[in-house]
């Protein structure tokens, strides 16, 4: 089983649509969770951290279900500028680990006019 | 906003040659990382560095790889004898104290092409 698994998509949605991405992780000791976005051939950029109670940042809502080892990202009112690859990222800190990030393969989103 | 900077942006090297990739992490950050991304694949962890020593490394980070923080600002990744399969985008990242909930900030990467 992959450590972090995402639906690769691609998701093609019109402007204004709501789109949801899912992610599962295999290490139950994982401690921190993030969504990053990556534009073509660019560096990953933090979109938002994911907290146990769920959190929202403008049009973006993230949810975490530790029991199911499941993370989600909801984007409302999609903009053209939201077109990117969305990376589900998990951090485990235990033993000698100093918070290395484990990435999913990413979900490609294209928002069209 | 402070950022992680990497040089060069693109490095082309003959197979078997040594290459050094350079990074300047954000100044008050204490944890440093290297990741790589082969074209079309996911981002993979290589190594973490804290308190002037390697804290964790992946299976990819074999004897051909080394990291160094030669002064108070630079953080380098050296590949001693490059192979074709080392061709990838290499990202440096850093984060401050405050536990793993502190997100890592990435530089814009060095594209390494091995011929």
């Amino acid at each position: 089983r992959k450590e972090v698994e995402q639906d690769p998509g691609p998701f093609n949605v019109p402007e204004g649509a709501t789109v949801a991405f899912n992610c599962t992780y295999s290490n139950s000791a994982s401690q921190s969770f993030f969504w990053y976005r990556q534009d073509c051939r660019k560096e990953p950029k933090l979109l938002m951290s994911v907290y146990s109670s769920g959190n929202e940042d403008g049009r973006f809502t993230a949810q975490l279900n530790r029991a199911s080892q499941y993370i989600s990202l909801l984007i409302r009112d999609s903009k053209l500028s939201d077109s990117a690859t969305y990376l589900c990222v998990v951090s485990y800190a235990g033993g000698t680990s100093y918070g290395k990030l484990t990435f999913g393969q990413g979900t490609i989103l294209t928002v069209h006019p | 906003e402070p950022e992680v900077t990497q040089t060069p942006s693109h490095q082309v090297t003959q197979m078997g040659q040594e290459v050094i990739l350079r990074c300047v992490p954000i100044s008050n950050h204490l944890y440093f990382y290297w990741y790589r991304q082969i074209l079309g694949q996911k981002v993979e962890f290589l190594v973490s560095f804290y308190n002037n020593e390697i804290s964790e490394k992946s299976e990819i980070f074999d004897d051909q790889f080394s990291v160094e923080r030669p002064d108070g600002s630079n953080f380098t990744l050296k590949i001693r004898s490059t192979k074709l399969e080392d061709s990838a985008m290499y990202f440096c990242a850093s984060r401050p104290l405050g536990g793993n909930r502190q997100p890592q900030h990435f530089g814009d990467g060095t594209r390494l092409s091995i011929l």
Side-chain angles (χ1 to χ4, degrees):
Chain A
R1 183 180 172 187
K2 291 179 184 176
E3 289 186 85
V4 180
E5 196 149 7
Q6 297 180 247
D7 179 348
F11 285 67
N12 292 295
V13 303
E15 275 186 288
T18 295
V19 61
F21 304 138
N22 303 319
C23 169
T24 57
Y25 60 95
S26 60
N27 187 344
S28 60
S30 298
Q31 292 188 334
S32 302
F33 309 90
F34 309 94
W35 285 100
Y36 281 74
R37 67 170 278 168
Q38 187 176 31
D39 295 295
C40 189
R41 298 198 168 204
K42 300 284 190 182
E43 76 276 21
K45 288 187 176 174
L46 178 70
L47 182 65
M48 59 196 302
S49 301
V50 186
Y51 303 120
S52 296
S53 54
N55 49 301
E56 189 175 305
D57 183 1
R59 298 180 294 109
F60 301 87
T61 301
Q63 296 282 346
L64 168 65
N65 184 324
R66 286 187 184 269
S68 303
Q69 295 177 206
Y70 169 90
I71 307 161
S72 65
L73 177 68
L74 183 77
I75 305 176
R76 289 182 300 278
D77 189 22
S78 300
K79 311 288 185 196
L80 295 176
S81 57
D82 293 335
S83 296
T85 298
Y86 288 81
L87 307 175
C88 178
V89 184
V90 172
S91 175
Y92 163 74
T96 57
S97 177
Y98 279 73
K100 73 172 190 182
L101 299 180
T102 302
F103 286 77
Q105 74 269 36
T107 298
I108 298 170
L109 172 66
T110 302
V111 182
H112 57 83
Chain B
E1 186 178 325
E3 56 184 28
V4 177
T5 57
Q6 291 185 243
T7 55
S9 56
H10 191 191
Q11 174 80 45
V12 182
T13 303
Q14 291 286 335
M15 187 172 60
Q17 295 296 306
E18 176 183 284
V19 66
I20 297 176
L21 310 183
R22 302 181 192 280
C23 169
V24 179
I26 295 172
S27 61
N28 65 339
H29 286 190
L30 297 177
Y31 296 88
F32 313 116
Y33 306 84
W34 283 100
Y35 295 84
R36 79 170 188 190
Q37 186 175 31
I38 294 170
L39 188 63
Q41 298 187 21
K42 66 179 183 178
V43 178
E44 299 175 289
F45 168 78
L46 292 178
V47 66
S48 59
F49 191 87
Y50 171 72
N51 201 25
N52 283 320
E53 60 183 21
I54 290 174
S55 48
E56 187 177 6
K57 58 185 180 179
S58 71
E59 291 176 357
I60 303 167
F61 195 90
D62 62 21
D63 291 345
Q64 294 301 311
F65 289 84
S66 62
V67 289
E68 196 176 35
R69 189 156 162 81
D71 52 44
S73 58
N74 290 286
F75 179 50
T76 61
L77 174 70
K78 182 194 290 187
I79 309 175
R80 263 179 276 281
S81 178
T82 49
K83 307 181 187 69
L84 293 176
E85 55 263 37
D86 293 329
S87 295
M89 197 76 172
Y90 287 80
F91 295 109
C92 174
S94 68
R95 72 169 174 88
L97 275 177
N100 296 320
R101 292 186 185 277
Q102 291 285 344
Q104 294 177 24
H105 298 260
F106 284 77
D108 56 5
T110 293
R111 179 167 303 282
L112 179 61
S113 300
I114 306 301
L115 305 179

